[in-house]
Amino acid sequence: MSNDTPSRSNPPAAGKRKLFIKTYGCQMNVYDSQRMADVLAPQGFTTTDTPDDADMVILNTCHIREKAAEKVFSDLGRLRPLKDDAQTKGGDVMIAVAGCVAQAEGAEITARAPYVDIVLGPQTYHRLPELVARASRARAQSNGREKISVIDTEFPAEPKFDFLPPPRAEGPTAFLSVQEGCDKFCTYCVVPYTRGAEFSRPVADVLREARGLVSAGVREITLLGQNVNAYHGDAEGHITWGLGRLIRALAEIDGLARIRYTTSHPSDMDNDLIAAHGDVPQLMPMLHLPVQSGADRILHEMNRNHTADDYRRVIERLRRHRTDLALSSDFIVGFPGETDAEFAETMNLVREITFAQSYSFKYSKRPGTPAAAMKKQIPDDVSSARLTELQDLLDQQLREFNAASLGRTMDVLLTNPGRLPGQLGGRSPYLQAVHVNAPASLLGHVVPVRITTQESYSLGAELCDAKAD
Ligand code: SAH
Ligand code: SF4
Ligand code: F3S
């Protein structure tokens, strides 16, 4: 975000307003940000990629770790001069804080940053047009006096999905939220409080949205949920479908080349979903399955409801169905009470399973969660040392995984222009970034390539003779 406070022209006519959205956090927030733009489009908002010329700024926030949440307040501080400057010129910039920090800390936001116009949670963004109208009225009525912020952090009975317009496709890949919320209550985690109870969208809605995306040119869909493999959507005939069945139905959609899903919980990997990894060629051989820790006592304290061996067994079964399955995971180091020996168990699990890619974090104490009240919080220098050790190992595994791709032929979905002229960028089945010399006409196609070079975090390739799909 820029610190500049450029001059602004007169307030724009309704119907020609610019919207800047900054997204923090997980893929679901990326999806939500796109949907917020979709909801506001009929109100005349078009998106811009800088806050400097925006009439409305939305910060779509993440509460998962302290750093992420604090960032919002510093970004808000930077937006203030933009708003002040616009107001001196007789205009305004409407500022909205959305997402998980808004849900958890709505009152604190308006206390610390009273110039925020709207605070809305992850379950109420379908009401944005109404919230914008209310905020405009509040502004008009304030007449120089203190203005009241509009806050909507309800968990409404009606699911927002029923009120959203069909999404627009932006390129050949898309996210599709199928499940939201979490009932698992891991002791360190804020998500059950910020996103609310588990909810699955009905099968027919998901299939309709997927067909719409594919007919608009999408080739790869990533199904999203905080616990996506707990999906149990209502289907015709008063039954519910699990994720495996949903994936099989999506695979019937003509033109949909690739399906992924994230994020999963190890205890929700049922037989049908595991079998789908072997049966459904469109389901990509890369699975994000967070384990958090390799030590059973820590997993128990985390309320993860599985042991390290349970995790090993799930992976074994998955690999039996799909021998080339690659894995990624999330890890937390320095959970309260974690000993050196318990951390060593995490390192051993990583050495044993081997991950193609991973995310690892220092435990962050979150207000209101059970782990925040646990004794034996780990000193920061100990957590930092553990994180470095774990990340070195994970990084080495990532580089080895990429090195093993050299010389291999694989299908790449070409998604964007490359860094150099004549090049296109894309992603391998394993989500590796691949660049290849190819004509722009191949954008949006899956093409077989031979991997020829390895850079730090990407691969170079050449087109094979076989035809694109
Ligand atoms: N539902 C998903 C992930 C949700 S949050 C799952 O169960 O795996 C994404 C990741 O953030 C988690 O997997 C965890 O590794 C990390 N995380 C969550 N709360 C955290 C905290 N308090 N401190 C550090 N990392 C945390
Ligand atoms: Fe958080 Fe655990 Fe739910 Fe994942 S499963 S969102 S880590 S409470
Ligand atoms: Fe963050 Fe909320 Fe996602 S806390 S990780 S934005 S669900």
Side-chain angles (χ1 to χ4, degrees), residues 24 59-62 67-77 97 101 109:
Y24 313 64
L59 303 182
N60 191 15
T61 61
C62 173
K67 253 196 206 142
E70 274 307 308
K71 183 124 200 345
V72 175
F73 289 100
S74 55
D75 281 350
L76 276 174
V97 181
V101 179
I109 290 168

Side-chain angles (χ1 to χ4, degrees), residues 64 181-192 226-227 263 265 292 302-304:
I64 203 82
C182 180
D183 296 340
K184 297 246 180 335
F185 290 94
C186 300
T187 53
Y188 49 80
C189 183
V190 293
V191 171
Q226 265 88 38
N227 276 301
T263 294
H265 193 285
Q292 315 296 356
M302 289 176 162
N303 193 32
R304 288 291 290 178

